[in-house]
Amino acid sequence: MKHLLTAAMPRDEAVALLDLAEDMHQIQDREVKKLPALRGRTVVNLFFEDSTRTRSSFEIAGKWLSADVINVSGKGSSVSKGESLRDTGLTIAAMGVDGVVVRSGSSGAPAQLADWIGRPVVNAGDGTHEHPTQALLDAFALRRRIHGGAARGRGLDGVRIAIVGDIAHSRVARSNALLLPALGAEVTLVGPPSLLPVAAADGTRLGVRAETSLDRVIAERPDALMLLRVQLERQAGRIAPSAGEYITGWSLTDERLARLGDAHIMHPGPMNRGLELSSRAADSDASTILEQVTAGVSVRMAVLYSLLASDHPSSVDGGTR
Ligand code: CP
């Protein structure tokens, strides 16, 4: 693996990354959370959009692997003086860094950066395009819930996952729609017609199914329900349908929670309680939300190790872009 720009990858590559993340996950139980794998390596987290989970967990992941981690954000950097992404990337690369983790509001920015700077690049979320480490951590958390201690080497074969909400604006939905079917899962994208992209309506093109009725999907008793954040900032300050209509049709309310059965409840965060799901749903035993956050550190350790560790077999050859 040379870069991680997309969640589109072969099953064996995804399972290998999830298994490596299982190895990394052991560190959670240790008193001293430090491995020497990336000693002497420097990673820059370049975040042009706000983030709590992704930026913190990449920083923790790098530090637990003994890398030096530098955080650069759009605000407070020379980007606010008009410097281009290319010049910012080349400037950082010229300082001798070994890898760059980038979040950008512009779809395709990480791929551009990868072409320009000649260093491993990780896509930490680009516009409405992709968020590959989110999809990997979602798969990791769900695989653990379903297979427990026997998760290694396994995919998510036959697991029925409904992804609900603002599909059109969601990089999380896109990356999961690429990764989860590769792991054998059956994915249904659920949302209001105005928030379902045209491509999703033709599910055969993506290998997923599209549905507009959350109630019909709940009646099918899915194994997992992933609620997406309603992205107010990508909808020019308004949502269509209205918040009230959204709650009526697509929110995991207490009433729908009662009909959901044993499904695992997932959300990438940050969540809007009362809009995408009720507090009772978010805080229930079925919720994997905090397990997803914990998984984020393990998965990001696995990604950084795969890209940057000199003793990792794929760190010196080509592979997934
Ligand atoms: N899930 C996610 O990307 O969260 P942050 O925006 O907090 O990083």
mmCIF file of all heavy atoms in Angstrom, residues 137 210 311:
data_model
loop_
_atom_site.group_PDB
_atom_site.id
_atom_site.type_symbol
_atom_site.label_atom_id
_atom_site.label_comp_id
_atom_site.label_asym_id
_atom_site.label_seq_id
_atom_site.Cartn_x
_atom_site.Cartn_y
_atom_site.Cartn_z
ATOM 1 N N LEU A 137 -12.893 1.556 10.112
ATOM 2 C CA LEU A 137 -13.179 1.442 11.551
ATOM 3 C C LEU A 137 -14.615 0.963 11.782
ATOM 4 O O LEU A 137 -14.886 0.236 12.747
ATOM 5 C CB LEU A 137 -12.862 2.750 12.275
ATOM 6 C CG LEU A 137 -13.791 3.955 12.148
ATOM 7 C CD1 LEU A 137 -14.936 3.911 13.147
ATOM 8 C CD2 LEU A 137 -13.001 5.242 12.334
ATOM 9 N N ALA A 210 -31.014 0.528 -2.840
ATOM 10 C CA ALA A 210 -31.492 1.823 -2.335
ATOM 11 C C ALA A 210 -32.943 1.707 -1.926
ATOM 12 O O ALA A 210 -33.722 0.982 -2.548
ATOM 13 C CB ALA A 210 -31.328 2.896 -3.404
ATOM 14 N N ASP A 311 9.611 -2.161 8.248
ATOM 15 C CA ASP A 311 9.578 -3.627 8.269
ATOM 16 C C ASP A 311 8.257 -4.189 7.759
ATOM 17 O O ASP A 311 8.040 -5.392 7.783
ATOM 18 C CB ASP A 311 9.865 -4.163 9.685
ATOM 19 C CG ASP A 311 8.838 -3.676 10.700
ATOM 20 O OD1 ASP A 311 8.096 -2.723 10.386
ATOM 21 O OD2 ASP A 311 8.792 -4.250 11.797
#
